[in-house]
Amino acid sequence: PFYGEDFYCEIPRTFRHLSFYIFDRDVFRRDSIIGKVAIQKEDLQKYHNRDTWFQLQHVDADSEVQGKVHLELRLSEVITDTGVVCHKLATRVLECQGLPIVNGQCDPYATVTLAGPSEAKKTKVKKKTNNPHFDEVFYFEVTRPSSYNKKSHFDIEDVDEVDKMEIRVDLWNASNLKFGDEFLGELRLPLKFLRQSSSYEAWYFLQPRDNGNKSLKPDDLGSLRLNVVYTEDHVFSSDYYSPLRDLLLKSADVEPVSASAAHILGEVCREKQEAAIPLVRLFLHYGRVVPFISAIANAEVKRTQDPNTIFRGNSLTSKCIDETMKLAGMHYLQVTLKPIIDEICQVHKPCEIDPVKLKDGENLENNRENLRQYVDRIFTVITKSGVSCPTVMCDIFFSLRESAAKRFQGDLDVRYTAVSSFIFLRFFAPAILSPNLFQLTPHHPDPQTSRTLTLISKTIQTLGSLSKSKSANFKESYMATFYDYFNEQKYADAVKNFLDLISSSGRRDHKSIEQPILLKEGFMIKRAQGRKRFGMKNFKKRWFRLTNHEFTYQKSKGDHPLCSIPIENILAVERLEEESFKMKNMFQVIQPERRVLYIQANNCVEAKDWIDILTKVSQCNKKRLTVYHPSAYLNGHWLCCKATADNTPGCTPCTGGLPANIQLDIDGDRETERIYSLFNLYMPKLEKMQEACGSKSVYDGPEEEEYSTFIIDDPKETYKTLKLIIEGVGTLEQEHAQYKRDKFKKTKYGSQEHPIGDKSFQTYIRQQSEISAHSI
């Protein structure tokens, strides 16, 4: 099989192996394992970014080992009554760390055996822990005739015999099952290393059982081709990164933006994605991603000549927006698409509409109807989901829409296509096509479901593109025929309304868009805002209208507004408790000076829609309230908290309404370290870019070919930034080099941080021999 799939994984610092397992899928029973490839941590650099074939290894319980053990070994001399010198070995099992959990539990114990006739000695069982503390000592007699003068030196006549002896420590999980205890790992230590010193204390990695099973050759199981890109980030404390971080964070304010540090990173990296991942994470962490993306998007729009090609390339802008949507929009995808994707994966309705691919017994018209229903439902949940779109995405879409509308004033659709090229083509359509890559499903869909999702994705992508001749977009005639179902104006209107909503932002000047965007309108009942005595005459039916500029109401549709509330004056939108006016489905729009507009919607669904959309357009207002009164102020006091002053602060926390800003677990210093590593990796390109700046500054003729790959709008500003980048990277490089030198001096094999493993054991023995020889 050929897979061709990429996986990006965070790996814990203290791993020993990176393992890949191959399974044989069985529909009726549990999937059976074929084999695995296990690459040791220290070997990963050998295979870094290289296609390599690995032989599959056999997998069994004895080969799956993790954890480490802390031992102390002491060899001492004993003179018996007959005058014969014996040697006694004391083995102290102190503790273990990181043992595996077996069937949901770990009740470990250790057995210690000296190779030969001696029987195994066993520690106590430690219940319900995979980090047991034993601290038990076991004694073994090693009896050999001896002829030596120095009593402190272990010297044996038959050295070879002792050299062949070894101490073995096995870790087990105590099981109540009839199959016996489970093996967790073992350690075999030859006694010859005690000839240099009579006492050793160290941590050791546990090893798989050496059971001598050679029946399966590795090449019997096949092989797996991998390309592993492995990077380690050694992150200093925050102050080390201040110069480089500050330089990056001010990128949005640099004029032109092509002279900024972040844009330069995109220019020198081999793949724009390399730069986009850490940049977006860094800017998101410090709340600067919207101004940065707005700046680079605006610059890209200015360079675009044809509105039909806007944001179509794999530029730094498009990669940064992709990455932002992936990080901030994952929850949005879950609440929008996951329920219906799950249904499609479980129900398996036939949806094949290619006559050539129809299976026996399938009806083309039935399949078309099944597919049409799925497309309709997904289209509806997407176009109705605008209020759930994360704020950071809306702010970016607002900026894209504004830049595109200013650049191509003659094209009325470009303000829509600039946004749809991301939200439909790069977000929803790929998520439908490959739901497992967006965490909507745990595994790849089966072939039939995958085909259904492909057909849905194609249709949704075309619906969202708002192109003039949609049927021509399809190479396949059966897709063009199917699309005729959706050639109605209501679909285009729904897309435009959705795009209008998600590209409205409370953070910018709404008046910068010539025409206000109508978001919602309809009849509702409102209570008069005056000081009149309360009575039913105070409630009037009015036509309400919401745009991204203001919230208004009038007597009837088309009349002059009786009241207008600018969006920036909406401080909170919350439900109103029924006890206030003995009326259901009421909500309140709170304005400055504690003026509150009380409104009753026609039903609970309509009330929720109005609350959601009003909250959406106003949630970024600077003066939004954090607390509110859930009941009305009547008869001289608040019904909820009984406070008498009408300007008393609220008694209940505001709901906020929407999961607009998803909190992300991002380490800003780590992302800066990643960016430093990229700058360091591409230092030759930074220097080449400096040369290009110098060339452009003194020579205004045709550009040299070797410099033409760089976007340099202002050579002097770009050169200044490059100089600061190179200085910052050089300083950090020196700090890393010094840290490595200091760490190497302090490194001790056998410590808890650096346990002795199968490969490093011989190194450890050699080191101890050298130290012993040097001290003599």
Side-chain angles (χ1 to χ4, degrees), residues 565-583:
I565 304 173
I567 293 298
E568 55 267 29
N569 281 358
I570 297 177
L571 305 184
V573 184
E574 298 287 348
R575 292 187 181 277
L576 187 69
E577 288 182 355
E578 192 176 326
E579 65 171 8
S580 298
F581 301 110
K582 310 300 181 195
M583 298 167 67

Side-chain angles (χ1 to χ4, degrees), residues 111-292:
T111 59
V112 185
T113 311
L114 179 66
S118 65
E119 62 182 61
K121 300 184 179 183
K122 177 180 172 183
T123 68
K124 294 176 181 176
V125 176
K126 300 295 180 180
K127 293 284 187 179
K128 297 180 181 178
T129 176
N130 63 337
N131 298 310
H133 287 260
F134 297 109
D135 200 6
E136 296 187 39
V137 183
F138 303 98
Y139 295 95
F140 299 91
E141 289 188 358
V142 184
T143 305
R144 292 288 185 276
S146 178
S147 59
Y148 60 90
N149 297 321
K150 295 179 182 178
K151 292 187 177 180
S152 61
H153 184 62
F154 178 39
D155 189 10
I156 305 275
E157 283 184 352
D158 193 353
V159 174
D160 290 340
E161 286 297 312
V162 175
D163 284 355
K164 292 175 183 176
M165 299 183 73
E166 65 179 11
I167 192 80
R168 194 179 84 223
V169 179
D170 294 273
L171 268 296
W172 300 86
N173 177 48
S175 173
N176 295 323
L177 301 175
K178 62 181 180 180
F179 304 110
D181 297 344
E182 292 98 351
F183 173 76
L184 300 180
E186 73 172 16
L187 179 66
R188 292 172 179 259
L189 297 175
L191 292 191
K192 64 181 177 182
F193 78 94
L194 287 173
R195 290 164 60 194
Q196 300 297 333
S197 173
S198 61
S199 176
Y200 277 104
E201 180 185 346
W203 283 86
Y204 303 86
F205 280 126
L206 291 170
Q207 303 296 333
R209 176 148 50 188
D210 182 14
N211 55 15
N213 183 5
K214 306 296 182 184
S215 60
L216 272 173
K217 295 180 181 178
D219 56 0
D220 290 342
L221 301 175
S223 52
L224 177 66
R225 177 180 162 208
L226 299 170
N227 187 325
V228 179
V229 178
Y230 174 67
T231 56
E232 274 186 357
D233 294 322
H234 298 268
V235 185
F236 290 120
S237 55
S238 195
D239 53 311
Y240 284 84
Y241 297 106
S242 294
L244 183 59
R245 181 176 59 240
D246 293 345
L247 188 64
L248 288 160
L249 290 176
K250 71 176 186 181
S251 292
D253 305 319
V254 174
E255 286 288 343
V257 72
S258 59
S260 69
H263 194 279
I264 287 170
L265 180 66
E267 289 296 289
V268 298
C269 282
R270 186 177 64 178
E271 301 286 345
K272 302 293 184 190
Q273 184 80 356
E274 275 185 302
I277 291 173
L279 282 176
V280 164
R281 294 174 70 88
L282 179 72
F283 285 119
L284 271 172
H285 181 68
Y286 288 101
R288 298 283 295 159
V289 76
V290 174
F292 169 64

Side-chain angles (χ1 to χ4, degrees), residues 311-323:
F311 300 126
R312 295 291 175 169
N314 286 322
S315 62
L316 181 64
T317 305
S318 60
K319 290 297 182 185
C320 282
I321 296 175
D322 286 352
E323 191 62 26

